[in-house]
Amino acid sequence: MIRSRAGGPVPPWGLAVTAMLSVQLGSALSVDLIGQVGAAGTAWLRLSMGAVIFLIIARPPLSRVRRPDVPVLLGLGVTTGLVTIGFLSALEHIPLGTAVAIEFLGPLSVAALRSHSARALIWPGLALCGVILLTEPWHGDVNLVGVMYAALAAIGWGIYIILTQRIGDRFTGISALSLTIPVAALTAAIIGIPQAAGHMNLGVLAVAAGLAVLLPVLPFALEMLALRRLTATAFGTLMSLEPAMGLLLGLIVLHQQPSPIQFAGILLVVLAGAAAQRGGRRTRSFEPAHSTPELGSTP
């Protein structure tokens, strides 16, 4: 189990925030690779490298997969591949912070639809106001292609959250990722291989391997662990921090300058995310029929 310096388990919101930082750093650093092998080519290379890493560090629990698990595992793998392609394609057309803000509407919708309390809708509502400030739609200069790709990623991300929580309830740790990430890589390969063909070299492969650690290996593993201890509503609203992280890393890494209004949007989404994580632990306890190694343990 992942533990803090104080010796206690790392809180689930801490796992989620670390995953978000890794995702946004990996996304920002992927822009140059996208320019070389395309968005789908970058997605395919990152997911393929990630699949290899997961297969090395975790044994695929094939003998523990039940028939009802198969469509969920396949669905999660395909969704992961499509979300990765969609989001990286959006980065070809719109700034990182804007792409993340639009993509966030997926988990925001999950938070709203899965909430059983009218009071809990305050935080998704506040986060939505922040997203609007981050995207600044009133300027009218909108790249519709980029928005379309980000919107497709948003739909996929919402589905990803629901499916990941279901898989996390069946398999302890990260072993399920050794099943779903290879499926995601095969999904991305359909478009990614033709796009990347003729542009591959050792330098590209080395960069892709490094980016695979930032995304998908580290964040997907942490999200899997976080979703086992958070409600979909709490996790989805906590993801409201991600547009802020995307905007800031876009500024630091890609030199994409945000406006003062976008900084106001950051404040709103941070407040919504901080409020959402309070009381967000899952109250239902469960014990998977078969446990597999936790992150950081020997498989």
Side-chain angles (χ1 to χ4, degrees):
M1 176 179 289
I2 300 177
R3 293 185 175 274
S4 63
R5 290 184 178 180
V10 174
W13 63 265
L15 299 175
V17 169
T18 302
M20 285 186 281
L21 284 171
S22 184
V23 166
Q24 295 313 311
L25 183 58
S27 297
L29 295 177
S30 292
V31 171
D32 288 341
L33 187 60
I34 291 173
Q36 297 181 62
V37 298
T42 299
W44 167 62
L45 285 171
R46 285 194 340 194
L47 290 169
S48 296
M49 297 291 184
V52 171
I53 294 173
F54 277 121
L55 288 170
I56 291 173
I57 65 177
R59 289 188 297 268
L62 294 175
S63 62
R64 300 167 183 172
V65 175
R66 301 170 183 170
R67 183 172 296 179
D69 297 328
V70 174
V72 182
L73 287 166
L74 291 176
L76 181 56
V78 172
T79 298
T80 301
L82 295 178
V83 168
T84 306
I85 292 174
F87 182 73
L88 293 180
S89 296
L91 293 186
E92 290 186 293
H93 302 279
I94 57 179
L96 176 61
T98 303
V100 178
I102 296 171
E103 189 191 33
F104 166 70
L105 296 178
L108 178 69
S109 298
V110 170
L113 293 174
R114 296 285 292 270
S115 175
H116 299 291
S117 169
R119 185 176 179 181
L121 297 178
I122 294 173
W123 308 122
L126 181 62
L128 178 59
C129 293
V131 169
I132 292 173
L133 293 179
L134 284 165
T135 54
E136 298 184 312
W138 53 84
H139 284 169
D141 186 16
V142 178
N143 187 307
L144 293 180
V145 175
V147 170
M148 179 189 70
Y149 280 126
L152 290 174
I155 295 172
W157 196 10
I159 296 171
Y160 165 82
I161 288 175
I162 296 172
L163 294 181
T164 297
Q165 191 172 64
R166 289 185 61 183
I167 291 301
D169 283 357
R170 279 282 295 116
F171 301 94
T172 304
I174 63 171
S175 61
L177 292 168
S178 63
L179 297 173
T180 60
I181 299 303
V183 173
L186 290 174
T187 302
I190 298 173
I191 305 175
I193 291 179
Q195 229 179 53
H199 305 286
M200 304 254 301
N201 53 55
L202 289 178
V204 166
L205 294 176
V207 170
L211 291 173
V213 175
L214 289 174
L215 182 65
V217 175
L218 181 60
F220 283 11
L222 293 178
E223 286 177 0
M224 180 73 74
L225 296 176
L227 278 165
R228 292 183 69 245
R229 293 190 279 155
L230 284 172
T231 63
T233 298
F235 184 85
T237 312
L238 184 59
M239 289 292 104
S240 63
L241 289 168
E242 197 144 8
M245 294 179 183
L247 197 68
L248 290 175
L249 285 173
L251 170 63
I252 295 169
V253 179
L254 303 174
H255 309 293
Q256 297 171 342
Q257 182 67 47
S259 68
I261 290 179
Q262 289 176 315
F263 275 115
I266 287 177
L267 178 60
L268 288 181
V269 293
V270 167
L271 289 175
Q277 65 89 14
R278 296 182 60 189
R281 289 179 180 271
R282 302 179 71 185
T283 55
R284 180 174 63 89
S285 61
F286 62 88
E287 193 67 36
H290 300 282
S291 62
T292 52
E294 292 277 359
L295 181 63
S297 65
T298 303

